[in-house]
Amino acid sequence: GRKNHAKLVISYYLVPHGIIGYYVSRAIGAKCCISIIGDLLYHLNSTFFGWFYLSILKKSDFITVTGERSKSVLVDRGIDENRIFVLPNVINMDDYLPDKKIKKEYDIAFIGRLTHVKRLDIFFRVISEVSKEMPKLRVAIIGDGEEMDNSKCLVKDLNLLGNVEFLGFREDIKDLINRTKILLLTSESEGMPSVMIEAMACGVPVVSSDVGDIGEVIVEGENGFLVQKFDDVKSYKDRIIKILSDKKVYKKISEQSLKVREVHSVENASKIWKEIFSKVA
């Protein structure tokens, strides 16, 4: 950084990269931008380190968050709103396009890292309830992680072996999204999951827990469905069955989902970064 006379250090995620980035910026005399991706409250509410994380954010020069909800959290905790920029998660829209030529092989999919915070225990309980009314339900689990073994055991215990397929880590995400009817997210905490934007950009309806900044993208019953309590199994089930059993509802949600392409684009994000760069001396 010193050798190349860096003027700005940008770190993605608050922990640990944001903290490291902050100290690096101060060591080389540069400004610091912490780009928060993921659930902010998860860190700020930490019993032992929440105060420390907040102090780093208060001393940083710029902060980007994924939505207005996250910005409000920081402002309420004493951070100058003029240093906070709303930067929605961005995907390359050219890579995620609806493809009607691809046959829908899966009714529901989970895409992401298999971690506790994703609450796959809730996910599979939802699948169990939906399968009672739709016995031929097909579900894809796309990703890997520490909850893989627990997930497989739960699928067996719930008698879902004939419904659920574990595909592991995959590179062909855009094709798998187009082969899916619904993306289901039952996370206990999130920021703004990129996979949600990717699915909506392909016209795939999303049913999700209303956590993080997700509610700023999904409008209940318009371009997707939100469940207020992440562990409300019945609410997930009702929304899924409504989408899968009513072609008019599915068509409406699918078409409205595509409007996400107008907001979460590289072009829109570049405007925010240009504003930040203009403040760097």
Side-chain angles (χ1 to χ4, degrees):
R2 287 198 186 100
K3 180 180 178 181
N4 293 288
H5 307 289
K7 294 182 179 180
L8 178 66
V9 176
I10 303 173
S11 301
Y12 291 88
Y13 294 100
L14 175 57
V15 181
H17 310 89
I19 297 168
I20 296 170
Y22 169 77
Y23 285 112
V24 169
S25 72
R26 295 308 180 251
I28 66 175
K31 289 191 174 181
C32 170
C33 177
I34 298 179
S35 193
I36 297 176
I37 303 171
D39 184 32
L40 181 61
L41 288 174
Y42 177 78
H43 296 298
L44 294 185
N45 290 339
S46 170
T47 303
F48 298 105
F49 297 105
W51 65 270
F52 173 64
Y53 300 148
L54 181 60
S55 70
I56 292 292
L57 290 172
K58 285 184 175 181
K59 291 184 286 188
S60 64
D61 299 290
F62 312 107
I63 303 169
T64 71
V65 293
T66 55
E68 291 292 342
R69 287 185 183 179
S70 293
K71 181 176 179 177
S72 295
V73 168
L74 295 178
V75 171
D76 289 344
R77 300 201 181 201
I79 296 177
D80 181 4
E81 64 178 336
N82 294 316
R83 295 191 290 111
I84 307 171
F85 298 81
V86 175
L87 183 71
N89 275 11
V90 170
I91 65 171
N92 187 341
M93 291 299 174
D94 292 335
D95 289 339
Y96 292 90
L97 296 165
D99 191 341
K100 294 183 179 180
K101 295 180 181 178
I102 297 179
K103 181 182 178 182
K104 296 290 187 182
E105 296 181 36
Y106 302 102
D107 298 298
I108 301 171
F110 167 87
I111 303 175
R113 184 156 180 79
L114 278 62
T115 61
H116 175 73
V117 75
K118 300 295 185 180
R119 295 308 300 261
L120 287 158
D121 55 327
I122 304 298
F123 180 95
F124 291 120
R125 283 171 55 196
V126 174
I127 299 305
S128 177
E129 291 301 311
V130 175
S131 68
K132 292 176 182 177
E133 296 189 33
M134 297 181 167
K136 295 183 179 180
L137 190 75
R138 294 202 64 193
V139 180
I141 305 299
I142 304 160
D144 203 349
E146 57 267 29
E147 288 294 313
M148 176 65 83
D149 290 341
N150 288 338
S151 295
K152 289 183 175 179
C153 287
L154 190 54
V155 166
K156 183 178 180 180
D157 291 343
L158 293 172
N159 296 315
L160 295 172
L161 292 175
N163 302 101
V164 178
E165 184 177 351
F166 288 88
L167 302 183
F169 177 80
R170 297 284 290 265
E171 297 282 357
D172 55 337
I173 297 299
K174 60 182 178 181
D175 291 331
L176 288 168
I177 287 175
N178 274 302
R179 287 161 57 186
T180 299
K181 293 180 181 178
I182 296 174
L183 176 72
L184 174 61
L185 301 173
T186 56
S187 300
E188 185 174 358
S189 66
E190 285 280 3
M192 179 80 76
S194 294
V195 69
M196 177 186 74
I197 307 300
E198 293 165 356
M200 294 177 73
C202 292
V204 173
V206 177
V207 177
S208 174
S209 51
D210 187 10
V211 293
D213 293 314
I214 290 175
E216 293 185 33
V217 177
I218 295 180
V219 179
E220 168 69 12
E222 291 295 323
N223 62 351
F225 286 98
L226 291 173
V227 173
Q228 296 302 311
K229 295 182 179 180
F230 77 91
D231 57 353
D232 186 352
V233 173
K234 184 179 185 302
S235 291
Y236 289 115
K237 183 201 78 170
D238 291 344
R239 285 160 171 76
I240 289 170
I241 290 176
K242 184 175 183 178
I243 297 175
L244 292 178
S245 61
D246 191 325
K247 291 183 179 179
K248 289 184 178 179
V249 171
Y250 190 95
K251 185 174 184 294
K252 173 194 171 183
I253 300 297
S254 178
E255 291 176 348
Q256 291 298 313
S257 293
L258 292 172
K259 292 183 179 180
V260 76
R261 304 179 64 84
E262 301 168 8
V263 178
H264 295 263
S265 64
V266 173
E267 290 76 18
N268 283 339
S270 67
K271 296 175 184 177
I272 305 298
W273 282 118
K274 285 179 181 178
E275 185 178 353
I276 293 174
F277 295 158
S278 71
K279 299 178 184 293
V280 179

